[in-house]
Amino acid sequence: MPEHSHSRPEVSPAVAWLRTPAAIRERCHQLLDLGLAGKLTHFRVEPSRLPAVVDAVLEVTREAYPTLDIPLHSRWRHFDAGGVARVAELEARLKDATPQERARAKLDLAVVSVLLDAGSGPKWRYREQGGGTWARSEGLAVASFRMFMDGVFSSDPDWPLRADAEALGRLSRESLARGLQVSESNPLDGLEGRLHLMHGLSRVLPRPGALHDIVVAQGSSARASELLGLVLELLGPIWPGRVMVDAVNLGDVWPHSALGPVESVDALVPFHKLSQWLTYSLVEPLAEAGVRVVELDGLTGLPEYRNGGLFVDLGVLVPRDVRLTREVLHPSEEPIVEWRALTVALLDRVAALVRGRLGMSNEELPLGKVLQGGTWTAGRKVAAELRPGGVPPIRVESDGTVF
């Protein structure tokens, strides 16, 4: 029996468009064009430095994937951090479940884990019992995986490997802090924001795995852009109050004055970073359930600090004001909106150049694989070479809901 039937609420054309990857691309490339013409306030764009970025991306890609058999960039890569076969451990515990229930459980895990995955800050660590210590995105992946395996997100003691509205809705700050090993000596940025997202999730779906039933009901294949649209529509209400258009909370969408008056829809730049990261992370569980996600290149690169930091550290994006590299900024501040938009547009250019150097097509090397190969790892590596602890060149205040 499907866990959820879904009728689509009507939204205005402006809101519907701002939820599309086409809108993300269009607005980000508009800002890149302005940047290339020297007309942006916060960054100078130096396209002559792009080959250095491509070299760095190819170096880490060949090191990690010598045969160029690159998986998709998704949360599933992080669960096996350090070469520990945690996903196999999950599969072993799900071996007696039906294929549908396996898919629902994996979607439960992916959604909860991605929503807990905003920037952790530099001090936080997670120590796995009998294992290693992990930081940042991998640490949050391993922590959320262990919480899932322990039944923290399930209200049914007989079926711990699930996340459901009842358990998510009653999740306390204390139990989330305990699961993430947060303490005074191990502070995590944005704990309240993460808890807010878990409570919000409990209000929009009976369980995250209900996405399986909604998608399966629509056929055996789904366009990536449509899947993102579904994620944005269903999860839209959980984001903290941000820009509203036609009484709809848009989430990760911010104005930039170079595109129009900041109160106008024309000025809005959509990113939907966590929602796109989630969409990439739904592809594999849905494939196992018999639903093929097609046109993956419809999604964009992810505007977060590893991809964006790569362009700053290698000189493609040059801050016009040194304050940008010294102060911690809020995601709503225009320099951050500009940085993220330029990152999305430049990732398209880097992907094309990487494919050219490797002689591969879009189908053989979609953007999601360039990110995995790729830009994210190169961004982290270059940051580690330049600054202690690999902190990004530009720091953004994490409230647990954006990065």
Side-chain angles (χ1 to χ4, degrees), residues 120-235:
S120 65
K123 295 179 179 163
W124 178 81
R125 299 286 182 274
Y126 180 81
R127 176 170 279 115
E128 193 171 19
Q129 198 175 345
T133 298
W134 309 98
R136 299 196 182 266
S137 210
E138 288 91 341
L140 289 162
V142 174
S144 54
F145 180 88
R146 288 295 160 211
M147 290 171 76
F148 184 82
M149 297 296 274
D150 290 343
V152 171
F153 308 113
S154 170
S155 64
D156 183 351
D158 296 329
W159 194 254
L161 299 184
R162 60 179 268 156
D164 58 59
E166 190 184 329
L168 292 168
R170 64 166 190 239
L171 187 68
S172 67
R173 188 182 189 282
E174 291 67 38
S175 67
L176 183 60
R178 188 164 57 247
L180 297 174
Q181 299 179 355
V182 178
S183 65
E184 273 184 33
S185 61
N186 192 34
L188 174 72
D189 288 356
L191 184 66
E192 297 293 345
R194 289 168 221 271
L195 185 64
H196 175 92
L197 292 183
M198 293 297 100
H199 290 166
L201 185 57
S202 77
R203 293 191 289 271
V204 296
L205 284 169
R207 62 182 287 194
L211 280 165
H212 163 271
D213 303 294
I214 298 167
V215 175
V216 165
Q218 293 171 7
S220 60
S221 73
R223 282 196 185 95
S225 58
E226 289 169 356
L227 191 56
L228 174 64
L230 180 68
V231 165
L232 290 171
E233 182 188 305
L234 291 172
L235 301 189

Side-chain angles (χ1 to χ4, degrees), residues 388-399:
V391 296
I394 295 172
R395 286 170 304 149
V396 183
E397 187 185 329
S398 175
D399 65 356

Side-chain angles (χ1 to χ4, degrees), residues 229-285:
L230 180 68
V231 165
L232 290 171
E233 182 188 305
L234 291 172
L235 301 189
I238 79 175
W239 305 109
R242 299 231 176 92
V243 174
M244 305 278 283
V245 168
D246 303 327
V248 175
N249 175 11
L250 294 175
D252 188 11
V253 177
W254 316 85
H256 193 295
S257 61
L259 298 176
V262 289
E263 341 34 82
S264 70
V265 172
D266 290 344
L268 293 177
V269 186
F271 295 116
H272 306 307
K273 184 258 164 176
L274 277 177
S275 299
Q276 290 205 87
W277 178 225
L278 177 54
T279 304
Y280 278 119
S281 301
L282 300 179
V283 172
E284 290 151 281

